[in-house]
Amino acid sequence: AVKPETEEDKKNAFTEMSVETIVEKCKELGNKRITFTGGEPLIQKDAKELLSKLTIEGFEVNVETNGKESITPFVTFDGSCPIAMNKLIITMDWKSPYSGMRDQMLESNLLALRYNDVLKFVVANKEDLDDMKDILSKFNVRCHVFVSPVFNEIDPVEIIEYLKENNLQDVR
């Protein structure tokens, strides 16, 4: 998030907190599952430290990332800032050709996704579905794969028919 500049922004302003304050607030609230999202959470300067402290404290953390930043530092062991990998789930978008952001995706992220992670395709047309199929066959991803329609662009029935016709068994 950015600091508020307009009066409307100031009404909805955020509170800047340290990693320790966030962890304490999470403990206070009592929830054991946390979603780390908003713009691109992995670019936050203390993201790895926050994920480390939350997962070590026993929180299950789902990181929703847009796929433009490397996830590798977050899913590999680092003794200086360890993350409890069994408590971390990465949900990564893969931008389709329709989005106009396809060229910004890091293919290396596809290789870093683990069995408990999620790869999400948001599709608008057959070209997007073909791109999804190509990615899945080229990279043999190990994680959960979800596909969802761009609202008012593609009929969900078309997606289902495509999945059946192309025998994409592990796509939900």
Side-chain angles (χ1 to χ4, degrees), residues 44-158:
Q44 301 302 317
K45 71 177 172 92
D46 295 326
K48 191 161 187 182
E49 180 186 357
L50 177 61
L51 294 176
S52 175
K53 291 195 181 205
L54 287 170
T55 59
I56 298 298
E57 286 287 339
F59 292 97
E60 180 180 281
V61 182
N62 183 1
V63 176
E64 293 184 350
T65 177
N66 64 23
K68 289 175 24 179
E69 300 296 321
S70 176
I71 65 168
T72 302
F74 299 91
V75 296
T76 54
F77 180 75
D78 175 354
S80 66
C81 196
I83 295 173
M85 292 301 163
N86 65 328
K87 295 289 187 178
L88 178 69
I89 300 166
I90 302 289
T91 298
M92 187 182 82
D93 289 347
W94 186 263
K95 303 297 182 194
S96 66
Y98 176 84
S99 73
M101 297 174 58
R102 173 67 169 80
D103 62 334
Q104 296 179 34
M105 299 295 93
L106 295 179
E107 291 183 349
S108 60
N109 279 341
L110 296 166
L111 302 172
L113 290 167
R114 303 155 304 147
Y115 290 101
N116 62 320
D117 295 327
V118 175
L119 176 60
K120 182 176 70 171
F121 294 90
V122 180
V123 299
N125 51 40
K126 186 175 183 305
E127 179 185 13
D128 289 353
L129 289 167
D130 288 341
D131 185 61
M132 175 188 71
K133 184 176 98 172
D134 290 345
I135 291 295
L136 294 175
S137 65
K138 181 178 177 184
F139 290 93
N140 193 26
V141 298
R142 304 172 295 217
C143 62
H144 302 281
V145 178
F146 298 158
V147 59
S148 62
V150 172
F151 186 69
N152 281 339
E153 291 295 326
I154 189 171
D155 188 331
V157 172
E158 188 177 338

Side-chain angles (χ1 to χ4, degrees), residues 35-49:
T35 300
F36 188 34
T37 189
E40 175 47 63
L42 299 183
I43 63 172
Q44 301 302 317
K45 71 177 172 92
D46 295 326
K48 191 161 187 182
E49 180 186 357

Side-chain angles (χ1 to χ4, degrees), residues 17 19-34 50 52-60:
M17 294 186 276
V19 168
E20 292 75 20
T21 303
I22 294 170
V23 172
E24 288 307 312
K25 187 69 169 174
C26 290
K27 287 179 185 178
E28 182 183 308
L29 293 170
N31 298 314
K32 283 301 193 183
R33 292 189 173 96
I34 297 169
L50 177 61
S52 175
K53 291 195 181 205
L54 287 170
T55 59
I56 298 298
E57 286 287 339
F59 292 97
E60 180 180 281

